[in-house]
């Protein structure tokens, strides 16, 4: 079975989710490219969008339409050539519409798992629950005569565990997109020592066609991305808890978030990132990872408390941020949640009490948005972090400690043989998390 | 052709050319519509001429309001400018991007026919109503629709890309691009002197270097041109009056504040034919020579020109059509600075279509307003010196790929 044949019947499981919908979009576009090649005109291409939520599927079809429209408008020059033989398509508007129709004609929304029984390739993006994943794999594999390949989007569950429990004979690999898949360039590719070599080969070609940056990770729970993020987040939580001994808890959360965003020049502060991913999801991932690292305590009672109070973060179907550690207004942090008082305290009230102690921003500060546009950023970053190290304000000290800890986490991923090398760790944080610099550096020494 | 009686143009006004480049332009926010632009330009012209009672008839030049704005019956917007224009004759004319000059010609002919002494002419286009990829469909209407299917997604850039490609092949890529780069620089530098220009706020320190930093890429746009070769997508309107001597007097306008139409040429090429020579603007060549010859003038007597540089290649080819350079040497002529504001022949002194903007149906009128301002000393910071030996100004307005062309020669009244 060659590349095209493999992509003739595909199912995306969890297609209505944030990750699933992105995978669905990218796969539909790739399949449409194949379908529209003249030599493939007689072949049938089917992409099942499977999800348990009917409303979710309606939403994802709407999302698909709007996204494919954008894609079509961007590549009309090429599409005109592809549709050169269609005499009825004359104006760009005709071409764009035809392309949308063709892409969407591939996609079959369904709530029935049975749709996957005929597929050769199955993308799995259901919730981060090992037992659920295994159960689904098992059911499909027992009913699907094609010996399909399973590309799981898990960000934490070791692949070999699922392979063994579901009896997939090496027909599974980890193909971990970053959120949102249509935008983020990174894919973590995880193979086990049983994964079929041809499946890996296909995965690399598919990633290349999608113009993704592939970073191989070893099959250790959490892989590189969450391996770093989870420990980084736990450090943030610990820092906030430490600070909360001599300041209000909400102030501590605000301070740590501000230091990690502004002073460490990251796209978001650590607590905003947890909200973005979802407090519930982070908690889930920690639960998955924890048993695999007996020497560490990958667990946070604080997150449990939030979760139990129903404060979960994550995103609304329209992409807006749900409230979590913070309440957001027009995408900006407006208030901080106090789990002990069980309400949000406006940021304005918090700022006044702490800004002095936090300290002024360093002279050499430069916003993340500007840094990522710089090709040569080492010098400006070095200058900024040198200044931070010389400052005694609370914010600066927090940031320097944080930078060191982040560096140590990165290096440990290499010594623990999760990542093959330091560059891979840095690539994951640079491309998957949009950091302006890799965590493994010498800035904070 | 020289007019049988004296015909003047006066009381010119340009709205801002709104689109990318202007800081007030935000594609995501609502913007003024057609009505706004027509009213603004018309009202300002009426103020100069003492009110609507001095107007005998109105004419609107517009290209594609039926598609950009889903609006037809454009003459109905003449009385919208001012109640005082209600119940007077009005007409609209269309000849693609040459619509503006057709509006001027319509006015000139009414004055010559003595059916009017004062014609209010307005050119207007509001085209930021759609994304560029769909705007390209609309603008493709300036070509023969039978050829749309095999044309480029960006149809008109595609047409002129073919012209640029033919020119590169014949005369050399690097050499031609040097001329284009200088054309772009002149457009930016001149636009910065004109507050209504789309590139008024342009701050690029070295436009030529910027131009040359980008190579054409047929994967995303056309094969032989880049965005810096192209005119703008613009919303805007321009207005002026076309008047007889009596008309000027009625409006209380001194001849010194008007320009006289010395000669004009209106030339049409069969839209269903391909251009006879991709490296020549044949219709423009005919038009400019008809206009010059009928008035007994040579290009050495021209003090300034507004030419239709919808693409830089059209600007270069117009210089050759005029005879400022031999075929193949137009790019060198421009690269050497001869068309700059301090050059041998200042061209497009407020930026032209690439720098000032190109609200398609308004452009012909805008060109006339610019010449009017230059010849009457009212061009503000963009003013060039008009020497007594070269008192004439010229406009060249083109619709489609060298299809509908009007050339007018002016002198101060």
């Amino acid at each position: 079975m060659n590349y095209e044949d493999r992509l003739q019947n595909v199912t995306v499981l969890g297609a209505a989710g944030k990750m699933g919908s992105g995978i669905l979009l990218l796969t539909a576009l790739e399949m449409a490219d194949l379908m529209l090649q003249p030599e493939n005109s007689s072949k049938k291409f089917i992409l099942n969008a499977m999800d348990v939520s009917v409303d979710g599927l309606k939403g994802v079809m709407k999302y698909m339409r709007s996204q494919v429209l954008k894609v079509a408008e961007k590549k009309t020059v090429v599409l005109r050539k592809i549709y050169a033989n269609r005499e009825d398509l004359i104006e760009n508007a005709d071409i764009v519409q035809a392309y949308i129709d063709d892409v969407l004609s591939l996609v079959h929304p369904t709530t029935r798992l049975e749709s996957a029984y005929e597929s050769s390739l199955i993308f799995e993006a259901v919730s981060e629950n090992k037992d659920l994943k295994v159960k689904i794999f098992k059911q499909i594999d027992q009913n699907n005569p094609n010996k399909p390949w399973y590309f799981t989007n898990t960000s934490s569950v070791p692949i070999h565990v699922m392979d063994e429990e579901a009896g997939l004979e090496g027909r599974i690999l980890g193909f971990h997109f970053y959120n949102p898949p249509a935008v983020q360039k990174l894919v973590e590719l995880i193979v086990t020592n049983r994964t079929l070599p041809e499946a890996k080969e296909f995965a690399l070609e598919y990633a290349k066609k999608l113009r993704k940056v592939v970073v191989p990770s070893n099959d250790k729970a959490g892989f590189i991305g969450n391996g770093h993020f989870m420990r980084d987040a736990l450090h943030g939580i610990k820092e906030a808890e430490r600070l909360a001994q001599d300041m209000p808890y909400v102030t501590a959360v605000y301070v740590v978030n501000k230091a990690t965003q502004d002073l460490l020049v990251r796209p978001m502060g650590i607590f905003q990132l947890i909200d973005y991913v979802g407090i519930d999801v982070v908690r889930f991932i920690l639960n998955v990872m924890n048993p695999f690292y007996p020497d560490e305590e990958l667990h946070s009672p604080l997150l449990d408390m939030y979760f139990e109070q129903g404060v979960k973060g994550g995103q609304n179907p329209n992409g807006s941020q749900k409230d979590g550690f913070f309440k957001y207004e027009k995408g900006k942090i407006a208030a901080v949640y106090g789990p002990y008082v069980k309400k949000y305290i406006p940021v304005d009230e918090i700022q006044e009490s702490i800004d002095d102690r936090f300290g002024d921003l360093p002279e050499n500060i430069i916003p993340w948005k500007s840094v990522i546009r710089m090709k040569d950023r080492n010098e400006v970053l070095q200058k900024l972090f040198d200044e931070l190290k010389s400052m005694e304000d609370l914010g600066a000290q927090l940031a320097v400690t944080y930078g060191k800890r982040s560096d140590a986490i990165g290096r440990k991923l290499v010594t623990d043989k999760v990542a093959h090398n330091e560059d891979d760790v840095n690539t994951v944080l640079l491309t998957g998390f949009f950091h302006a610099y890799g965590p493994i550096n010498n800035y904070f020494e | 052709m020289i007019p049988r009686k004296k015909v003047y143009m006066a009381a010119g006004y340009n709205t801002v050319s709104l689109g990318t480049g202007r800081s007030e332009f935000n594609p995501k926010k609502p913007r003024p519509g057609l009505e706004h632009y027509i009213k603004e330009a018309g009202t300002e012209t009426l103020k100069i001429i003492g009110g609507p009672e001095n107007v005998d008839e109105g004419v609107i030049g517009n290209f594609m309001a039926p598609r950009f704005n889903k609006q037809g019956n454009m003459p109905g917007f003449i009385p919208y400018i001012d109640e005082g224009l209600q119940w007077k004759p009005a007409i609209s004319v269309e000849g693609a991007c040459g619509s503006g000059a057709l509006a001027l010609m319509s006015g000139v002919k009414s004055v010559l026919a003595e059916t009017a002494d004062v014609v209010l002419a307005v050119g207007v286009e509001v085209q930021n109503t759609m994304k560029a990829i769909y705007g390209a469909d609309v603008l493709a209407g300036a070509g023969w629709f039978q050829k749309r299917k095999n044309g480029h997604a960006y149809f008109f850039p595609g047409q002129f890309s073919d012209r640029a490609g033919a020119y590169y092949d014949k005369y050399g890529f690097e050499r031609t691009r040097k001329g284009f780069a200088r054309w772009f620089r002149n457009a930016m530098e001149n636009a910065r002197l004109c507050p209504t220009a789309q590139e008024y706020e342009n701050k690029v320190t070295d436009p030529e270097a910027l131009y040359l930093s980008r190579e054409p890429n047929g994967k995303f746009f056309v094969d032989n041109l880049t965005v810096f070769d192209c005119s703008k997508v613009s919303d805007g309107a321009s207005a002026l009056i076309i008047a007889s001597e009596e008309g000027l007097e009625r409006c209380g306008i001194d001849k010194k504040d008007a320009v006289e139409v010395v000669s004009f040429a209106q030339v049409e090429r069969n839209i269903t034919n391909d251009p006879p020579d991709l490296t020549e603007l044949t219709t423009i060549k005919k038009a400019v020579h008809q206009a010059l010859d009928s008035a007994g003038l040579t290009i050495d007597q021209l003090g300034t020109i507004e030419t239709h540089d919808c693409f830089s290649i059209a600007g270069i080819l117009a210089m050759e059509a005029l005879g400022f350079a031999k075929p193949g040497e137009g790019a060198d002529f421009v690269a050497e600075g001869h068309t700059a504001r301090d050059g041998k022949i200042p061209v497009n002194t407020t930026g032209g279509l690439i720098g000032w903007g190109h609200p398609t149906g308004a452009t012909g009128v805008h060109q006339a307003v610019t010449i009017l301002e230059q010849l009457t000393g009212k061009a503000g910071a963009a003013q060039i010196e008009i020497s007594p030996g070269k008192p004439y100004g010229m406009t060249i307005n083109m619709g489609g790929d060298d299809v509908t062309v009007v050339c007018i020669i002016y002198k101060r009244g």
Side-chain angles (χ1 to χ4, degrees):
Chain A
M1 199 179 264
N2 65 17
Y3 180 79
E4 285 168 25
D5 297 338
R6 181 65 58 185
L7 281 169
Q8 267 186 257
N9 193 317
V10 180
T11 296
V12 176
L13 303 170
K18 183 93 187 166
M19 300 304 287
S21 57
I23 296 168
L24 185 73
L25 173 68
L26 295 172
T27 307
L29 294 171
E30 171 63 4
M31 287 170 70
D33 276 358
L34 299 174
M35 178 179 77
L36 291 170
Q37 285 167 14
E39 63 268 27
N40 291 333
S41 61
S42 61
K43 290 183 189 163
K44 250 194 166 172
F45 289 85
I46 293 171
L47 176 58
N48 297 307
M50 193 269 151
D51 200 280
V52 289
S53 162
V54 175
D55 285 344
L57 286 171
K58 272 188 199 158
V60 84
M61 292 311 282
K62 227 170 146 185
Y63 164 81
M64 289 287 287
R65 187 171 283 280
S66 68
Q67 293 301 306
V68 178
L69 169 69
K70 279 187 194 161
V71 170
E73 286 171 346
K74 264 192 203 148
K75 60 177 198 182
T76 315
V77 173
V78 179
L79 291 177
R80 281 193 82 87
K81 287 178 188 144
I82 291 172
Y83 287 113
N85 293 327
R86 283 278 301 273
E87 290 298 328
D88 57 323
L89 306 177
I90 297 170
E91 297 206 310
N92 294 335
D94 305 332
I95 303 267
V96 164
Q97 200 49 53
Y99 182 69
I100 295 171
D101 291 346
D102 277 340
V103 175
L104 293 187
S105 76
L106 285 167
V107 183
H108 300 259
T110 176
T111 55
R112 299 177 62 83
L113 191 62
E114 287 85 338
S115 311
Y117 291 177
E118 290 171 24
S119 292
S120 314
L121 179 63
I122 289 151
F123 286 97
E124 175 275 309
V126 305
S127 54
E128 196 65 351
N129 175 334
K130 186 199 74 182
D131 294 340
L132 175 69
K133 288 174 197 276
V134 167
K135 183 179 157 230
I136 292 172
F137 290 148
K138 231 183 197 166
Q139 187 184 329
I140 295 172
D141 215 57
Q142 282 165 0
N143 293 286
N144 185 322
N146 304 326
K147 295 209 171 285
W149 294 350
Y150 299 86
F151 284 18
T152 170
N153 190 57
T154 183
S155 62
S156 56
V157 185
I159 311 302
H160 70 272
V161 174
M162 293 190 280
D163 187 7
E164 281 155 23
E165 291 187 17
L168 301 178
E169 308 158 320
R171 284 178 284 112
I172 182 169
L173 54 76
F175 200 86
H176 178 215
F177 287 90
Y178 275 67
N179 186 9
V183 178
Q184 292 272 38
K185 284 265 162 268
L186 180 69
V187 164
E188 272 181 291
L189 180 64
I190 307 109
V191 297
T192 73
N193 51 17
R194 295 212 307 176
T195 301
L196 300 178
E198 55 269 34
K200 182 185 172 187
E201 211 174 290
F202 172 91
L204 287 170
E205 190 178 350
Y206 173 79
K208 198 174 154 196
K209 295 288 273 295
L210 267 51
R211 276 180 262 146
K212 295 295 181 195
V213 174
V214 176
V215 173
S217 168
N218 284 324
D219 193 22
K220 300 256 168 89
F223 317 119
I224 299 172
N226 279 333
H228 192 279
F229 170 41
M230 290 302 134
R231 294 173 175 98
D232 206 50
L234 286 175
H235 176 70
I237 292 167
K238 276 200 193 107
E239 286 289 79
E241 284 170 333
R242 179 176 64 82
L243 289 174
Q245 288 168 8
D246 76 339
M247 65 174 75
Y249 170 77
V250 286
T251 308
V253 168
Y254 166 80
V255 161
V256 172
N257 194 68
K258 186 174 161 74
T260 46
Q261 175 164 16
D262 294 349
L263 301 181
L264 289 181
V265 202
R266 291 182 178 185
M268 304 179 180
I270 192 66
F271 290 113
Q272 188 181 352
L273 180 60
I274 297 174
D275 280 351
Y276 178 79
V277 172
I279 292 171
D280 51 346
V281 175
V282 169
R283 190 171 158 268
F284 231 107
I285 294 170
L286 285 170
N287 288 345
V288 170
M289 287 172 65
N290 203 25
F292 293 95
Y293 297 93
D295 300 343
E296 289 178 81
E297 176 68 18
L298 297 178
H299 175 241
S300 161
L302 184 80
L303 291 182
D304 292 346
M305 180 158 72
Y306 275 76
F307 182 79
E308 279 151 23
Q309 292 182 22
V311 178
K312 295 180 189 172
Q315 277 139 72
N316 292 307
N318 68 5
S320 63
Q321 180 64 49
K322 287 186 196 167
D323 295 339
F325 277 93
F326 302 116
K327 184 189 263 308
Y328 299 86
E329 275 165 22
K330 289 183 183 163
K332 287 203 170 125
I333 295 170
V336 186
Y337 188 69
Y340 304 103
V341 290
K342 295 187 182 160
K343 66 175 189 192
Y344 284 93
I345 314 294
V347 159
D348 306 348
E349 289 174 25
I350 297 168
Q351 274 169 333
E352 275 172 34
S353 66
I354 194 67
D355 276 2
D356 273 355
R357 206 173 141 198
F358 186 86
D360 291 333
L361 293 178
E363 275 173 37
N364 293 306
I365 196 78
I366 169 161
W368 169 80
K369 260 190 190 166
S370 315
V371 177
I372 48 165
R373 288 202 199 101
M374 295 179 179
K375 272 198 185 132
D376 242 345
R377 17 185 127 137
N378 189 37
E379 207 175 306
V380 289
L381 288 169
Q382 187 68 63
K383 224 166 138 189
L384 164 65
F385 295 136
D386 283 346
E387 189 186 349
L388 275 186
K389 282 185 278 184
S390 73
M391 292 166 70
E392 287 180 0
D393 298 313
L394 174 64
Q397 290 194 343
L398 265 176
V400 171
T401 314
Y402 217 104
K404 283 183 186 160
R405 173 69 189 141
S406 186
D407 185 297
I409 294 168
R411 287 178 205 273
K412 191 161 183 297
L413 287 170
V414 181
T415 51
D416 282 353
K417 296 202 166 52
V418 177
H420 292 284
N421 54 54
E422 294 179 356
D423 280 348
D424 283 353
V425 176
N426 283 346
T427 305
V428 167
L429 273 292
L430 284 163
T431 54
F433 291 80
F434 283 130
H435 280 196
Y437 54 96
I440 304 177
N441 54 60
N442 297 312
Y443 295 136
F444 301 98
E445 273 170 17
Chain B
M1 184 174 286
I2 50 171
R4 284 180 299 177
K5 61 182 270 187
K6 285 191 185 293
V7 181
Y8 297 88
M9 294 186 195
Y13 181 86
N14 297 320
T15 70
V16 157
S17 176
L18 187 69
T20 52
R22 296 288 307 190
S23 52
E24 70 266 41
F25 176 71
N26 180 345
K28 285 182 185 147
K29 290 203 172 140
R31 284 176 303 281
L34 273 178
E35 313 78 359
H36 166 89
Y37 287 100
I38 296 169
K39 188 154 192 154
E40 179 187 335
T43 304
E44 293 302 319
T45 290
L46 290 183
K47 274 187 201 162
I48 305 172
I49 66 163
E53 57 275 20
N54 289 328
V55 174
D56 295 319
E57 65 177 54
V59 55
I60 288 195
N62 171 261
F63 176 23
M64 274 290 189
R67 290 197 68 185
F68 281 127
N69 320 100
K70 310 226 183 281
Q71 182 64 60
N73 206 358
M74 296 298 286
F77 289 97
I78 289 284
Y80 172 74
I81 295 168
D82 193 297
E83 276 290 306
L85 294 172
Q86 187 121 273
W87 319 130
K88 294 190 180 189
I91 188 174
S92 78
V93 291
E94 189 270 308
C97 305
S99 302
L102 290 188
L104 300 178
M105 291 315 300
S106 170
V108 167
K109 286 170 183 177
S110 283
V111 170
L112 290 178
E114 303 195 333
T115 56
D117 282 310
V118 177
V119 178
L120 172 65
V122 183
V124 66
E125 205 76 53
V126 170
Q127 48 190 141
N128 281 299
T129 51
M130 44 180 81
K131 290 183 182 172
I133 193 72
Y134 304 116
D137 283 337
V138 174
L139 297 172
W144 188 27
F145 189 66
Q146 299 290 330
K147 290 189 177 157
R148 176 70 184 107
K149 173 66 186 166
N150 294 323
H152 197 275
Y154 294 94
F155 185 78
F156 261 89
Q159 300 289 102
F160 282 85
S161 166
D162 290 350
R163 283 188 178 273
Y167 199 96
Y168 296 154
D169 286 348
K170 215 162 161 184
Y171 305 118
F173 177 76
E174 303 290 341
R175 180 183 169 195
T176 309
R177 292 249 303 162
K178 270 188 197 152
F180 289 173
R182 183 59 197 258
W183 191 274
F184 177 69
R185 171 182 153 192
N186 292 348
M188 295 305 119
E189 289 178 352
N190 286 339
R192 289 175 202 161
L193 302 171
C194 179
T196 53
Q198 212 163 317
E199 290 290 354
Y200 176 59
E201 297 160 88
N202 181 289
K203 289 184 185 68
V204 179
T205 44
D206 188 348
E208 280 183 88
L210 172 67
Y211 179 95
L212 293 168
S213 70
R214 190 173 301 189
E215 295 261 329
N217 183 346
K219 235 176 130 185
F220 301 103
F221 191 50
V222 294
D223 290 337
N224 303 309
L225 299 174
T226 72
V227 62
F228 302 127
D229 290 299
C230 301
S231 52
K232 302 275 182 269
V233 174
S234 315
D235 300 347
S238 295
L240 49 61
I241 59 155
I242 299 143
S244 63
E245 271 188 287
E246 294 81 357
L248 272 194
E249 211 167 296
R250 190 206 290 167
C251 297
I253 291 173
D254 192 306
K255 281 184 195 167
K256 290 280 165 233
D257 294 326
V259 286
E260 184 187 334
V261 175
V262 176
S263 70
F264 56 84
Q266 197 181 338
V267 182
E268 203 68 38
R269 181 174 78 74
N270 181 343
I271 194 173
T272 67
N273 289 342
D274 288 332
D277 179 352
L278 285 179
T279 59
E280 180 190 275
L281 290 171
T282 312
T283 318
I284 284 185
K285 194 173 174 185
K286 284 184 190 300
V288 296
H289 289 293
Q290 275 183 28
L292 284 165
D293 295 350
S294 62
L297 297 173
T298 67
I299 50 172
D300 298 328
Q301 291 168 285
L302 297 174
T304 179
I305 298 170
E306 286 297 305
T307 193
H308 195 97
D309 60 334
C310 45
F311 302 95
S312 51
I313 181 68
I316 304 278
L317 292 178
M319 294 306 106
E320 293 181 9
L322 277 154
F324 282 108
K326 289 194 200 114
E329 293 176 7
D332 306 336
F333 181 76
V334 170
E336 285 157 15
H338 296 310
T339 57
R341 54 190 308 102
D342 57 353
K344 208 182 263 179
I345 175 69
V347 178
N348 293 358
T349 55
T350 59
L353 284 62
I354 293 175
W356 189 83
H358 185 25
T360 45
T363 291
V365 181
H366 168 255
Q367 292 177 321
V369 172
T370 305
I371 291 292
L372 169 68
E373 289 173 348
Q374 287 292 5
L375 296 188
T376 57
K378 288 178 182 158
Q383 185 67 49
I384 53 163
E385 201 188 317
I386 302 293
S387 73
K390 297 178 174 229
Y392 298 99
M394 176 189 270
T395 55
I396 304 167
N397 188 202
M398 170 174 71
D401 185 0
D402 199 32
V403 171
T404 299
V405 175
V406 174
C407 173
I408 303 175
I409 299 176
Y410 314 74
K411 68 171 186 194
R412 190 172 190 173

